[in-house]
Amino acid sequence: MPAVGGFDKGTGKAYPGNLTPYVTVTCVVAAMGGLIFGYDIGISGGVTSMAPFLQKFFPSVYRKEALDKSTNQYCKFDSETLTLFTSSLYLAALLSSLVAATVTRKFGRKLSMLFGGLLFCAGAIINGAAKAVWMLIVGRILLGFGIGFANQSVPLYLSEMAPYKYRGALNIGFQLSITIGILVANILNYFFAKIKGGWGWRLSLGGAVVPALIITVGSLVLPDTPNSMIERGQHEGAKTKLRRIRGVDDVEEEFNDLVVASEASKLVEHPWRNLLQRKYRPHLTMAILIPFFQQLTGINVIMFYAPVLFKTIGFADDASLMSAVITGRVNVLATIVSIYGVDKWVRRFLFLEGGTQMLICQVIVATCILVKFGVDGEPWCLPKWYAIVVVLFICVYVSGFAWSWGPLGWLVPSEIFPLEIRSAAQSVNVSVNMFFTFIIAQIFLNMLCHMKFGLFLSFAFFVVVMSFFIYFFLPETKGIPIEEMAEVWKSHWFWSRYVNDGSYSGVELVKENYPVKNV
């Protein structure tokens, strides 16, 4: 049994296989599903800082921000309707992810991706043509439905298609697409805000059609995963597909393990109820706490309110949008570092290093805001050198998230769930993520108004808590085949008491009754 905080080496099982061009292209196309999520995160904060958009839909915020120069800097954007515009999407994503779990399990990962693309496309069209606030909200809800389906299916698809030795890098392609979507949205916001006539925000919102079409078309041309095909009884096709994506003929061991896992999943009539069983306690805990902690790093505050936040601390309109572009570029570059290192370095190290980096930067940014605006939030002109310091430390903070909690918050949950609960557990993971994204998006501007600089210190506190959680309770999952992940929990100092309690898992029951050679 490894010591507390030790790095478990796993089961030692190794399936033959190569990183073939076919599987690489397939995973790159599937990872494009992250574009719709990233584009929306980036576009939201940009349009809510554009004066023509505020003047048309949120005139009270426009008057407070543009006309009343005496307003407390912490409270100048505080509006429940404005935050509802941003946060309504995440509530819709939460609800749709529950439906997406059933679709993903019964009809395959591809269909979920297709639904996600079509719904997101419809939402983008309505938002781009919006004439009233209610149209914005309806459009955002449809966008949320699309994101719920995509975030449910894409990480699972990538984890199932990738050879286990390269699973981390290929799965993080999803997070890379999110960061690229954020960066593209920030750049478009910067240029669209300069369009004379004040209609650039329509292009920003309507532009979401492009990433929606990418994932829609991609879902039509992508192959099914062998896991999904086996689940639906297509064994011969699954074996042929597995040979192609692994690039070798000797896939018997991996194929048999997949079949055994599939047979075990069929013994589970109620996967949602099964999640509550004692032996799945570690999986359920991770499905809830990892996305919970990911949102409490405060990253979405930076990402979808970046222009608003920069304007709050004294940047001009163009400067705030350009600063958001800078943080977006850092986000992309740091995620590329994660792709390079996730299968070379252990997951736990990246979690802990990123947490330390974010903690230090949050304390420094909070101190900078305190020194500049004090407790009362009196407006002052921000000196150029001071602005550079604030942006610098926010960039260091973003990079810490982008190579740790950002990609690993999606990767680790998607690779630890056994097949019999995989769709349900991933749905819990997405739902928790969307729920707390909704909560933070809805209350952030109000919290900034009341907690002031202390808001960043509260996020720093949670970073400390989550780092302790990772150190003591998350086993290392690097280099372990998905269907062998159960052994990791059995050797963990804490979780072994739940998974080694004498009860049989579905896989163990199947192995007893159906020898591998006969499967």
Side-chain angles (χ1 to χ4, degrees):
M1 181 182 299
V4 174
F7 296 96
D8 186 5
K9 299 298 182 184
T11 66
K13 178 172 281 195
Y15 299 129
N18 305 308
L19 183 60
T20 63
Y22 176 74
V23 78
T24 301
V25 171
T26 296
C27 287
V28 168
V29 173
M32 291 296 103
L35 284 176
I36 62 175
F37 192 24
Y39 186 88
D40 181 80
I41 291 173
I43 220 72
S44 302
V47 296
T48 53
S49 70
M50 294 181 187
F53 178 81
L54 292 176
Q55 196 170 7
K56 181 174 180 62
F57 295 106
F58 307 99
S60 62
V61 177
Y62 172 75
R63 288 191 296 270
K64 188 190 299 184
E65 190 269 330
L67 305 178
D68 184 2
K69 298 302 180 182
S70 64
T71 299
N72 183 322
Q73 292 293 101
Y74 294 121
C75 299
K76 63 195 299 184
F77 287 96
D78 185 21
S79 165
E80 294 298 326
T81 310
L82 180 62
T83 53
L84 182 63
F85 163 73
T86 300
S87 63
S88 56
L89 178 147
Y90 302 101
L91 186 60
L94 184 161
L95 297 174
S96 69
S97 67
L98 301 176
V99 178
T102 302
V103 174
T104 302
R105 179 181 173 90
K106 291 189 175 181
F107 303 104
R109 287 53 168 150
K110 288 180 52 177
L111 192 61
S112 265
M113 287 189 239
L114 177 62
F115 284 167
L118 292 174
L119 288 166
F120 198 86
C121 188
I125 292 171
I126 292 174
N127 271 356
K131 299 290 187 182
V133 173
W134 70 265
M135 291 183 70
L136 287 178
I137 302 300
V138 169
R140 295 287 291 173
I141 290 173
L142 288 174
L143 294 175
F145 287 156
I147 286 174
F149 274 94
N151 286 9
Q152 164 74 18
S153 53
V154 172
L156 288 185
Y157 184 94
L158 294 172
S159 287
E160 291 176 351
M161 286 293 285
Y164 73 94
K165 291 181 290 187
Y166 306 102
R167 187 175 63 239
L170 291 176
N171 194 289
I172 289 177
F174 177 67
Q175 177 68 17
L176 179 62
S177 291
I178 293 176
T179 63
I180 291 173
I182 294 171
L183 176 59
V184 169
N186 287 335
I187 293 172
L188 292 178
N189 280 336
Y190 179 75
F191 287 105
F192 289 160
K194 297 178 179 294
I195 293 178
K196 296 186 184 300
W199 52 274
W201 61 268
R202 292 193 182 277
L203 294 179
S204 290
L205 294 177
V209 168
V210 176
L213 290 176
I214 291 175
I215 184 60
T216 301
V217 174
S219 68
L220 295 175
V221 300
L222 288 173
D224 254 328
T225 69
N227 311 60
S228 180
M229 294 174 74
I230 291 170
E231 267 190 304
R232 304 199 308 278
Q234 303 170 19
H235 285 208
E236 286 306 314
K239 182 180 283 190
T240 302
K241 185 66 65 180
L242 189 60
R243 289 195 182 104
R244 185 176 184 189
I245 65 177
R246 297 293 180 254
V248 296
D249 291 328
D250 181 19
V251 296
E252 289 299 323
E253 184 179 15
E254 182 175 5
F255 177 74
N256 286 330
D257 283 349
L258 292 177
V259 173
V260 167
S262 178
E263 293 297 330
S265 71
K266 291 176 183 177
L267 299 176
V268 179
E269 296 182 3
H270 306 286
W272 292 97
R273 191 185 305 166
N274 255 48
L275 271 174
L276 302 177
Q277 290 184 17
R278 179 180 174 86
K279 63 186 176 185
Y280 297 126
R281 194 71 49 81
H283 310 83
L284 182 60
T285 301
M286 297 302 162
I288 293 173
L289 289 185
I290 288 180
F292 168 72
F293 284 137
Q294 186 191 50
Q295 294 311 306
L296 289 178
T297 60
I299 187 62
N300 278 343
V301 167
I302 299 295
M303 285 302 152
F304 54 61
Y305 285 122
V308 169
L309 182 61
F310 285 127
K311 285 183 75 172
T312 296
I313 59 179
F315 288 63
D317 289 4
D318 278 359
S320 68
L321 289 171
M322 180 51 68
S323 297
V325 171
I326 292 170
T327 57
R329 292 178 63 184
V330 170
N331 198 13
V332 172
L333 293 174
T335 303
I336 293 173
V337 171
S338 182
I339 289 176
Y340 169 79
V342 71
D343 289 316
K344 296 179 183 293
W345 311 318
V346 290
R347 319 287 206 239
R348 285 162 45 85
F349 169 77
L350 288 173
F351 269 124
L352 296 173
E353 189 283 330
T356 302
Q357 190 170 321
M358 288 188 290
L359 172 65
I360 294 170
C361 292
Q362 283 167 326
V363 172
I364 292 175
V365 169
T367 303
C368 288
I369 295 175
L370 169 63
V371 170
K372 182 59 189 172
F373 298 119
V375 176
D376 298 325
E378 291 300 320
W380 297 91
C381 179
L382 200 65
K384 184 175 181 180
W385 69 268
Y386 207 91
I388 292 173
V389 169
V390 172
V391 172
L392 174 63
F393 280 104
I394 286 180
C395 285
V396 176
Y397 160 81
V398 168
S399 68
F401 176 86
W403 60 51
S404 62
W405 278 91
L408 297 181
W410 293 105
L411 167 61
V412 172
S414 72
E415 66 184 0
I416 63 174
F417 304 136
L419 188 61
E420 61 263 30
I421 62 165
R422 188 169 297 160
S423 292
Q426 178 67 5
S427 181
V428 171
N429 178 53
V430 174
S431 297
V432 172
N433 191 299
M434 293 300 107
F435 176 74
F436 285 100
T437 304
F438 164 75
I439 293 296
I440 289 175
Q442 183 64 28
I443 67 176
F444 165 67
L445 294 177
N446 189 265
M447 289 174 67
L448 181 63
C449 180
H450 291 88
M451 296 179 66
K452 306 175 176 63
F453 64 90
L455 176 60
F456 295 92
L457 296 180
S458 68
F459 285 133
F461 167 76
F462 279 108
V463 170
V464 173
V465 174
M466 66 184 70
S467 296
F468 274 103
F469 172 78
I470 293 297
Y471 182 79
F472 286 105
F473 297 107
L474 180 69
E476 183 54 47
T477 58
K478 169 182 169 287
I480 301 169
I482 288 182
E483 308 309 335
E484 296 299 314
M485 202 65 72
E487 301 302 318
V488 173
W489 306 109
K490 291 179 181 178
S491 61
H492 190 267
W493 74 275
F494 181 79
W495 299 119
S496 58
R497 71 191 68 182
Y498 295 98
V499 297
N500 287 332
D501 62 358
S503 62
Y504 281 99
S505 69
V507 171
E508 289 165 339
L509 284 171
V510 171
K511 284 184 176 179
E512 271 200 355
N513 292 284
Y514 304 93
V516 169
K517 63 182 180 181
N518 293 331
V519 172

